[in-house]
DNA sequence: AAATTTATTGAACGATGTTCAAGTTCGTTG
DNA sequence: CAACGAACTTGAACATCGTTCAATAAATTT
């Protein structure tokens, strides 16, 4: 239902009708709609993980790998727009904590970026690489999120992919140069 | 009310009580809560615009300028967290179009990025610069959005600022290098 | 076959955005 | 000043949600 009607289009009564039970019975399967959304998000994240893994098969330089991953992320978001959006649009009450399995799911994603980064910057520590990975992911995510947003200027997907590829390459080049300058300041 | 309790904490009845009128009277001021949120967003955007303009006063290189703008954006988001979030969390029904004044407000933002970019890449056309500006903004926005998100790892603000500065510098350096290589391929 | 546990139902509750008929206020005009 | 009308205000009512729960049905165990 999220995939077809968006997160806002997910209603317990409609859902109950679709799976053939009373609306109250939904609460035998999940405690909340929050949990329901998180469980759908978990599946989506797993599919995203598989997609990114598939993009890593061929042997490429770390730079090319990172570009390929970013493009794969963009494509996945475009092809699974509502499911992907639901993961980021969903907000829980401030006092309710994310379940551990949901946090784990999310952290798994950074693995994909971490590996090529570690190859590019062997002198950096685990902590530092983790931060860089998160920054890189966030930047690409931002481009995809605003790029796929319809409400301002709609960007055609091919243009968006080109933009992302260009900026990821630029970011990595820039990071490498900064790293070199820091190592041997002439 | 958005500033103190977040977008989800905005209720017409509470609002009516706070401004001292019946809940129905709210609809004399705005047609919707949608319009209400957009009007608040408009004010927020205007304050953001002023903040970014203030960051541009001193004379700096275009690179430094872009870094300063990104940091100013980050700081504004941190200091106006709920108001800033409300602008991006808010979703309208798919069929309802954004009013023109709201679209204008949003497009104004790119001005700040466009100017330094035009100085850096004088050979690029208006269209191309606009796309680059949007990409750069989206990337920084992504870093700020995920960085200020509490639900995964909470990043301390100083660390986030440093990350943003580093990645913006890297992006610009990378873009310049790519531009140079395209101009004189050796 | 009876008893006990488990699952299901659908009515009911509370919150929320929105509407609207009725009432009120206030400026304009005769 | 009185009477009219426009504009505003009110708060009850409606529809739509998520969620709960007592009653009922089904399944499992004894």
């Amino acid at each position: 239902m999220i995939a077809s009607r968006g997160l806002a289009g997910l209603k317990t009564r409609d859902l109950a009708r679709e799976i053939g039970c009373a609306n109250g019975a939904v609460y035998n399967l999940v405690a909340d709609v929050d949990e329901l959304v998180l469980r759908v998000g978990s599946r989506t994240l797993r599919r995203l993980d598989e997609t990114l893994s598939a993009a890593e098969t061929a042997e490429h330089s770390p730079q090319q790998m990172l570009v390929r991953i970013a493009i794969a992320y963009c494509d996945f978001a475009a092809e699974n727009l509502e499911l992907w959006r639901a993961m980021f649009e969903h907000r829980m009450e401030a006092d309710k904590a994310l379940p551990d399995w949901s946090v784990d799911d999310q952290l798994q994603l950074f693995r994909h970026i971490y590996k090529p980064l570690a190859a590019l910057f062997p002198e950096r520590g685990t902590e530092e690489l983790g931060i860089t990975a998160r920054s890189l992911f966030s930047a690409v995510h931002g481009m995809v999120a605003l790029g796929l947003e319809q409400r301002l200027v709609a960007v055609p997907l091919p243009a968006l992919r080109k933009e992302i590829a260009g900026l990821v390459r630029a970011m990595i080049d820039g990071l490498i140069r900064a790293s070199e300058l820091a190592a041997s300041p002439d």
Side-chain angles (χ1 to χ4, degrees), chain A residues 136-158:
Chain A
L136 216 52
F137 170 79
S138 302
V140 172
H141 173 78
M143 281 190 278
V144 175
L146 296 194
L148 294 181
E149 194 112 6
Q150 294 295 354
R151 61 174 170 175
L152 266 184
V153 201
V155 188
L157 188 58

Side-chain angles (χ1 to χ4, degrees), chain A residues 37-135:
Chain A
V37 173
L38 288 180
R39 297 225 107 104
V40 172
S42 187
R43 293 189 187 181
T44 306
L45 272 179
R46 243 176 275 273
R47 292 197 304 116
L48 171 56
D49 199 77
E50 288 166 17
T51 302
L52 297 189
S53 295
E56 290 166 354
T57 54
E59 64 291 329
H60 289 287
S61 70
Q63 287 101 323
Q64 288 174 315
M65 193 72 96
L66 286 167
V67 172
R68 284 174 61 90
I69 291 172
I71 296 294
Y73 183 75
C74 174
D75 288 346
F76 181 89
E79 289 163 16
N80 303 271
L81 190 56
E82 294 298 345
L83 285 170
W84 174 76
R85 273 187 184 159
M87 296 195 294
F88 298 95
E89 286 182 6
H90 178 62
R91 292 276 169 271
M92 303 211 319
E93 290 165 22
D95 50 351
K96 252 170 61 175
L98 269 189
D100 286 343
W101 53 263
S102 182
V103 175
D104 288 344
D105 281 341
Q106 300 187 36
L107 291 179
Q108 285 296 320
L109 260 195
F110 294 116
R111 241 185 339 133
H112 296 279
I113 312 176
Y114 187 93
K115 265 189 293 179
L117 271 186
L120 279 176
F121 306 103
E123 76 281 6
R124 297 198 185 184
T126 308
E127 179 85 5
E128 202 182 350
L129 280 172
I131 293 177
T132 309
R134 203 185 38 72
S135 297

Side-chain angles (χ1 to χ4, degrees), chain A residues 63 117 120-124 128 132 169-186:
Chain A
Q63 287 101 323
L117 271 186
L120 279 176
F121 306 103
E123 76 281 6
R124 297 198 185 184
E128 202 182 350
T132 309
R169 264 190 281 268
M171 281 191 277
I172 298 167
D173 276 13
L175 286 178
I176 290 175
R177 268 174 65 87
S179 185
E180 288 170 353
L181 285 178
S184 69
D186 49 281

